Amino acid sequence: MVHIKNYINGELLEPASKKYLDNFDPSRGKVYSYIPDSDEQDVEKAVAAAKAAFPAWSITPKDQRSKYLLKIASLIGKNLDRLAQAESIDNGKPLKLAKTVDIPRAAANFHFYGTGILHYAAHAHSMEDTAINYTLRQPVGVAGCISPWNLPLYLFTWKIAPALAAGCTVVAKPSEVTPMTAYLLSELCIEAGLPAGVLNIVHGLGGKVGNAIVSHKEVPLISFTGGTKTGAHIASIAAPMFKKMSLELGGKNPNIIFADCDYDKMLATTLHSSFSNQGQICLCGSRIFVEKHLYDKFKKDFVEQTKKMVVGAPMDEKTRVGAVVSKPHMEKVLSYIELAQKEGGKILCGGKQVNVGGEFSEGYYIEPTIIEGLPHDCRTNQEEIFGPVVTIMPFEKEEEVLMWANSTVYGLASTVWTENLTRAHRVAQNIHAGIVWINCWLLRDLRTPFGGVKSSGVGREGGFEAIEFFTEPKNVCIKLK
Ligand code: NDP
């Protein structure tokens, strides 16, 4: 079985402790590789390497930094099949999804920032004939990047690529639940000839490795994606140290369906926005509000289509819903289904763990689940479940549905279905969320600001926002007379 290694100062290394953690294949419920159980010593080494590499990397001309990033993008593309297979085994997601979404997007992240950095320009402010100000954007230093398990390589590279493009060096930690593709990425970085110490990847537990990165005094900037509780903990350490922080946190996204929508498009997309990646995408619409006179028709069709979704082994072409990521996560999702019933919810379909049989009989599978009959303010409708579980609720008035949609502590994404142009703009304006999709879902332009409001996070990723996060502005004022 593979023993994953840390990537520090250009080398693949064992953890200082020489200890390893079990890595599970969630589709089989079995250990299939080992993860370095790294600690402060490994982080210390990684930060020292990143610090030593920073002066040279930060003044490496942009077009050369760009070449490294583009080379890595191309290597990810060349290794698409291998990486997709690894992601699917590590995470439980359908192979098809890893092949069409996760891995292409990881390559796109490097490509986007490898080219984007060439087009970035800072501002100048003229004071007519008195003075001129120009803004220098200088890379901050060693960036700490911490990512979750749901879109492993996709989200890991979404942080690393802009950090490197901006001239920062990086110490990164993928989720210990899904470390494999980050390990394969370190091999590709070596193949691409990335200078030693520019990117360092330390594997291990959040409480040890993550904590050590966040609290390290030589890491002035933290880019984190994960749960809201972890984000609050990270902020409590990093804020008193005056670190720059970007926090991309949880969500409880509303999907608002008006009766005048393009019904077939809405139905097909709502199946995706509810159950893609087993509902483990921070952008999934988990609360579905349907205008009252469309409700019964929608309910019938949505349940019928959901029942047809094949739950099965990730490698199987027919599979639409693979395994959820881990046993504790499966238990958490099932406990929410139980809670929903206690709160008076009626399960319209799904609701149970599935045994898909054969060598996958120990895997962590849950039927896609639809629940109705719950008020907007119960726990099931307020707390993040992060699994293949949605609730459906009828509404009568726009003001009412907006109030319900905005009633959680979260504000990441939202989806609105209507053919009424005026209403679309009005609702978009009044939703408390960082992202509003009208008549679509997960349509992404990497230039746009990405992030949430309220407990869904602080700051924005994407486009030049990320370049600005990884650089510090410095105003230079020159008197002309
Ligand atoms: P966690 O918050 O549990 O973990 C995220 C990362 O933080 C992991 O690498 C984890 O390591 C690490 N970590 C855990 N504890 C600490 C700590 N004390 N100090 C530093 N790092 C730590 O989230 P999940 O991995 O469970 O991911 C799911 C969550 O991520 C959901 O809430 C989801 O909504 C959110 N998410 C948000 C997105 C967004 O863009 N807003 C996108 C995708 C997901 P380890 O795994 O080793 O514990």
Side-chain angles (χ1 to χ4, degrees):
M1 278 198 265
V2 175
H3 280 70
I4 288 173
K5 298 215 162 48
N6 290 329
Y7 171 50
I8 298 176
N9 206 21
E11 287 183 288
L12 297 175
L13 301 177
E14 282 205 89
S17 67
K18 304 272 188 276
K19 287 191 199 137
Y20 286 83
L21 303 158
D22 290 340
N23 190 21
F24 282 82
D25 166 355
S27 75
R28 293 179 172 80
K30 295 209 160 52
V31 175
Y32 85 104
S33 64
Y34 298 107
I35 314 153
D37 185 7
S38 312
D39 56 30
E40 296 74 10
Q41 300 171 73
D42 305 283
V43 172
E44 200 55 59
K45 228 185 206 175
V47 173
K51 199 179 166 212
F54 179 72
W57 182 252
S58 63
I59 56 160
T60 298
K62 288 178 186 58
D63 59 341
Q64 278 183 39
R65 292 205 299 264
S66 164
K67 277 186 189 137
Y68 285 115
L69 267 68
L70 295 180
K71 176 84 186 162
I72 296 168
S74 138
L75 286 172
I76 294 174
K78 275 192 193 140
N79 286 274
L80 171 70
D81 288 337
R82 192 164 74 96
L83 289 165
Q85 195 139 11
E87 200 72 296
S88 170
I89 294 170
D90 216 24
N91 175 278
K93 67 177 68 211
L95 176 62
K96 208 166 152 189
L97 190 71
K99 220 167 172 168
T100 53
V101 177
D102 291 77
I103 308 305
R105 173 60 191 274
N109 290 339
F110 275 103
H111 192 268
F112 179 81
Y113 281 106
T115 51
I117 193 61
L118 303 176
H119 301 270
Y120 181 72
H123 296 289
H125 299 90
S126 161
M127 297 168 75
E128 288 71 45
D129 61 352
T130 311
I132 182 151
N133 297 271
Y134 64 88
T135 311
L136 274 178
R137 300 245 30 148
Q138 295 174 309
V140 177
V142 178
C145 298
I146 301 176
S147 59
W149 49 256
N150 62 327
L151 301 166
L153 194 64
Y154 175 134
L155 290 174
F156 195 58
T157 54
W158 184 229
K159 299 181 176 306
I160 291 169
L164 297 179
C168 287
T169 54
V170 173
V171 176
K173 188 197 100 62
S175 169
E176 129 271 345
V177 183
T178 53
M180 189 55 86
T181 48
Y183 171 53
L184 299 178
L185 176 70
S186 48
E187 292 182 342
L188 298 182
C189 289
I190 293 171
E191 192 179 336
L194 191 69
V198 166
L199 171 63
N200 304 273
I201 301 174
V202 186
H203 296 270
L205 296 170
K208 267 202 257 183
V209 175
N211 233 31
I213 295 173
V214 172
S215 54
H216 201 293
K217 62 180 188 339
E218 301 289 354
V219 178
L221 169 153
I222 302 294
S223 172
F224 169 79
T225 300
T228 293
K229 223 170 130 193
T230 317
H233 173 74
I234 287 176
S236 76
I237 298 171
M241 297 174 83
F242 305 107
K243 297 192 178 202
K244 257 186 129 175
M245 264 184 290
S246 161
L247 304 173
E248 298 294 338
L249 310 176
K252 187 75 180 174
N253 309 312
N255 177 2
I256 304 175
I257 300 167
F258 288 95
D260 68 354
C261 67
D262 181 328
Y263 187 79
D264 294 340
K265 258 193 218 160
M266 176 281 295
L267 189 63
T269 308
T270 294
L271 284 167
H272 286 298
S273 66
S274 304
F275 303 120
S276 270
N277 205 38
Q278 299 68 249
Q280 303 165 137
I281 302 181
C282 51
L283 307 165
C284 278
S286 56
R287 296 176 295 148
I288 306 176
F289 300 103
V290 188
E291 199 168 1
K292 201 164 183 183
H293 52 281
L294 187 68
Y295 186 79
D296 288 338
K297 177 176 164 55
F298 171 78
K299 173 169 132 180
K300 181 174 162 293
D301 293 343
F302 186 45
V303 168
E304 201 176 290
Q305 295 293 320
T306 300
K307 282 184 176 162
K308 286 191 200 152
M309 294 180 95
V310 178
V311 182
M315 300 293 159
D316 191 331
E317 271 283 301
K318 293 188 295 297
T319 293
R320 289 283 301 277
V321 179
V324 298
V325 78
S326 67
K327 193 157 185 241
H329 190 61
M330 176 177 71
E331 284 162 359
K332 178 192 149 186
V333 174
L334 291 172
S335 78
Y336 268 104
I337 296 173
E338 214 178 296
L339 171 72
Q341 288 165 288
K342 281 192 196 134
E343 290 186 315
K346 182 176 165 205
I347 311 272
L348 297 176
C349 71
K352 291 193 285 298
Q353 186 184 351
V354 189
N355 184 340
V356 303
E359 59 176 308
F360 302 100
S361 59
E362 301 290 311
Y364 316 132
Y365 300 88
I366 301 175
E367 293 171 321
T369 302
I370 305 172
I371 303 168
E372 77 165 350
L374 288 170
H376 75 276
D377 56 354
C378 66
R379 277 185 60 202
T380 309
N381 272 328
Q382 292 287 315
E383 297 176 16
E384 186 180 45
I385 301 174
F386 216 54
V389 180
V390 294
T391 58
I392 60 173
M393 285 156 277
F395 71 89
E396 285 185 66
K397 294 212 164 60
E398 190 181 303
E399 305 79 62
E400 167 189 59
V401 76
L402 271 169
M403 196 268 281
W404 293 352
N406 291 337
S407 69
T408 75
V409 296
Y410 298 108
L412 185 54
S414 54
T415 309
V416 181
W417 291 93
T418 179
E419 292 293 299
N420 178 332
L421 183 68
T422 315
R423 174 157 59 203
H425 288 294
R426 189 171 57 234
V427 172
Q429 189 155 322
N430 288 305
I431 283 187
H432 303 160
I435 299 155
V436 185
W437 276 296
I438 309 278
N439 300 330
C440 59
W441 177 71
L442 209 60
L443 187 54
R444 295 278 294 118
D445 178 329
L446 301 188
R447 293 171 302 175
T448 59
F450 179 91
V453 300
K454 302 195 282 183
S455 298
S456 288
V458 177
R460 292 291 179 274
E461 295 185 324
F464 291 144
E465 306 254 354
I467 299 292
E468 295 192 343
F469 174 68
F470 289 107
T471 55
E472 197 73 80
K474 180 189 285 173
N475 188 64
V476 180
C477 178
I478 310 158
K479 198 158 185 303
L480 295 179
K481 287 189 218 157

